[in-house]
Structures are given as C-alpha cells and as structure tokens.
Amino acid sequence: MPVLATITVASLLFGGSYEKASLLSPASLQPKLRDILDDASPQLQATAIALVDHLEKSVADYNESVVSVLGDYAASAMRTYRSPATMAPGFARLDALRESVFSEVIQVRRQLLKLLGPDKWRALFDG
Amino acid sequence: MSRGQKWTNRPDIRSTSKVGEATPTRRQALSALAAAAVVTLLGCARFPSGNGLDRMVSDLDAALAKAPDDAAPGLIAISHQIQSQARALITSQEGFSTEFDRLSEDPNVSDDTLLRLVATYENERRTKRDNLLDLQDQLHASVSKDLWPDVQEILARKARLISMKSSLRQG
C-alpha cells in the first residue's frame, strides 16, 4: 500500500495513533522524495518537498489532536469510568479536522501526481 | 434518537451481575473483557492481520463462556457484537484504502470523485465507531463497579500491547 495513504488513513482513524504519531515526522517521506528527485530541477525539488512537508504537518497536527482528546479521556477514565458520550465534543472536533486533512491529502497527492508523473509518484508512495 | 440519548438511556444491567472475587477464572474473563474494550476504544486501529482479532475474540468467547454468573450470556452477546463491528471497521478501512489509492493515481478521476469516496467512507466509519462506543458502555454496565478499576488496569496494559502490534513500524 502506498506509504502516505497508509500513514494518512491509519493516522486519521481514531485510536492506535499514539504509536503512529512518530511516523509522521517531517522526515518520514522527505529522504525518499529527495532520492526520487535527485536529477530533477531545484525548482521542482523545492515545490515537491514543500507539498509533502505541508501534508505531513497537517497529518501530524491531526494526530496530536487525537492524542490530546483520547489522552484526556484515558487519563480521567483511569480514575473513574466516563461514558464515551462525554467525548462527543472531542470527536466532533476530530471529525471536522479529519475532513479538512483528507481534502488536503487529496489535493496534495494530485498536485504531486502532476508534478512528478505517475512513475515517480508511485515510487514515492509505494511502500 | 441522538447519539447522546442512546448512550445515556442504556439500561444498567449491573444489578443482574454477580461478578465477585477475582479468581483466576474471573481474572481471565476480565482480561478478555478488557481486550474487547480496547478494541472498542481503538475502533479503527489497523491490526497486522485478521488472525490477531480472531484469536482475541476466540479467547474472549472462551473466557466468557466459563464465567460462573448470570451475566455471562449478556457479556458474550456484547462480545459478538463487538467482534462484528470491529471486523466491519477493519474490512471497510482496508477496502477504502485500496480504492482511495487506486483512484488517487488515476489522473482521469476528479477530486470530487475522491471527496465523495471519502465522505461515504467517513459516514460509515462514524456509524461503526459510535456503535462500538455504545457497546463499550454496555460492557462497562455488565461488570461490577468494584471491579472496574481492575478492568481499567488490564485495559491499559492491553491497549499498549495492541497499539504496539498495530504500529506501522512493525511493517
């Protein structure tokens, strides 16, 4: 499965994001991107790197929100049970954020497809 | 009925539970319950394979079947619902990922098509997630208040384990 799709989809899902957060460091795709673009023009390299950097930061921000919401819940639930219904406002915020991040994912992936072409695009995202 | 109403109106069946001392059998049952709760909490966590879930559900059923109290049938019913919802979540997530990747690399597919795919998947995901959260409340209602801290302790341990196993770093 393409790496970014895996990271994005998995990290956008609730839960299981504590461990995955570290995968979303800005360095996760950048080295691969630099290899793929080794012979490309500096301008193309800069554009592609900026797109991937932006995307990874958006996903990382989302992941931090997930950790915050679920972390708060887990911390309080350890003391006394809290119905998941108490998380409804947090879930609503995360759902809205997911929608926004997914839009960015689509836009950036399509921009990269146009910029890199299908072969390099697959080389970047294929795990 | 709103999600909040569904959760808050859940009948409290703790009065029918006879959960007692933490005997080994009881501990085993609580552990299995906690594992189910973790699945509920994690919801969409990606498991390395379906076998992990199958094994966990099998262990859960075995433990609950041995539970020497009147609550066992209710607990098993909850576990089966959790199994069904968790499996549906995992399956739909995998299907979505595959389709999303396939369409993303096709320049003839419009952004609107991708957005519609995401929207459809998101609606299904939220429904399944809310169902799992509702089941967690049912699970909580099925064990005694005194034993919940034990469940929580096991739950936290299991959560770390499952989180580790579901990490993408495991490949």
Side-chain angles (χ1 to χ4, degrees):
Chain A
M1 179 183 293
V3 172
L4 190 55
T6 305
I7 292 173
T8 301
V9 171
S11 61
L12 287 177
L13 299 171
F14 293 128
S17 295
Y18 297 89
E19 296 292 331
K20 292 181 179 67
S22 61
L23 292 169
L24 297 170
S25 67
S28 60
L29 275 180
Q30 298 292 4
K32 198 172 179 182
L33 184 61
R34 289 175 200 278
D35 285 344
I36 291 169
L37 296 178
D38 191 39
D39 58 350
S41 71
Q43 186 180 1
L44 193 153
Q45 287 185 25
T47 304
I49 287 170
L51 283 169
V52 169
D53 189 47
H54 171 75
L55 183 58
E56 290 186 324
K57 283 177 178 169
S58 293
V59 176
D61 286 345
Y62 172 79
N63 245 19
E64 286 181 16
S65 298
V66 171
V67 170
S68 174
V69 170
L70 294 183
D72 288 347
Y73 173 77
S76 61
M78 287 300 289
R79 294 188 292 274
T80 180
Y81 183 73
R82 277 178 62 195
S83 168
T86 62
M87 297 176 70
F91 275 159
R93 286 198 305 275
L94 292 178
D95 286 341
L97 193 52
R98 282 170 62 95
E99 189 177 338
S100 169
V101 172
F102 256 124
S103 292
E104 290 189 31
V105 167
I106 290 171
Q107 287 177 22
V108 171
R109 282 168 65 108
R110 302 312 287 269
Q111 284 180 274
L112 285 168
L113 181 60
K114 289 177 186 170
L115 197 64
L116 303 177
D119 291 341
K120 286 184 176 176
W121 189 89
R122 288 192 198 97
L124 175 64
F125 291 119
D126 281 356
Chain B
M1 178 182 288
S2 72
R3 187 174 65 188
Q5 285 175 315
K6 183 170 64 171
W7 280 330
T8 53
N9 291 340
R10 176 65 48 195
D12 187 349
I13 60 174
R14 272 173 288 185
S15 58
T16 62
S17 173
K18 295 181 181 176
V19 177
E21 297 298 318
T23 63
T25 299
R26 175 59 60 197
R27 172 67 66 181
Q28 188 182 20
L30 288 174
S31 179
L33 276 172
V38 168
V39 171
T40 304
L41 271 175
L42 295 184
C44 298
R46 296 194 73 236
F47 288 83
S49 71
N51 292 337
L53 179 62
D54 290 342
R55 189 165 54 250
M56 192 210 73
V57 170
S58 176
D59 291 347
L60 175 64
D61 283 351
L64 294 179
K66 294 175 185 173
D69 56 62
D70 296 340
L75 295 176
I76 291 174
I78 294 171
S79 87
H80 286 173
Q81 291 178 62
I82 288 173
Q83 172 189 4
S84 172
Q85 287 293 312
R87 198 177 303 282
L89 264 172
I90 292 168
T91 301
S92 65
Q93 187 265 320
E94 289 172 349
F96 165 74
S97 296
T98 302
E99 187 66 358
F100 183 74
D101 290 338
R102 187 182 71 80
L103 294 179
S104 289
E105 68 178 86
D106 184 346
N108 296 318
V109 172
S110 69
D111 287 3
D112 283 346
T113 299
L114 285 168
L115 287 170
R116 281 196 297 274
L117 176 72
V118 169
T120 300
Y121 166 70
E122 283 292 287
N123 284 334
E124 292 175 2
R125 183 193 61 83
R126 279 193 293 270
T127 298
K128 292 182 176 73
R129 178 196 68 197
D130 291 347
N131 288 342
L132 279 167
L133 292 173
D134 183 45
L135 288 167
Q136 177 181 304
D137 261 356
Q138 293 184 46
L139 190 65
H140 172 255
S142 301
V143 297
S144 76
K145 201 173 180 178
D146 292 345
L147 285 177
W148 185 250
D150 282 351
V151 175
Q152 286 284 60
E153 180 189 335
I154 300 167
L155 188 155
R157 198 161 59 240
K158 294 275 186 181
R160 284 193 294 273
L161 177 67
I162 292 177
S163 181
M164 181 183 69
K165 285 187 174 180
S166 63
S167 168
L168 294 175
R169 283 180 297 189
Q170 296 285 310

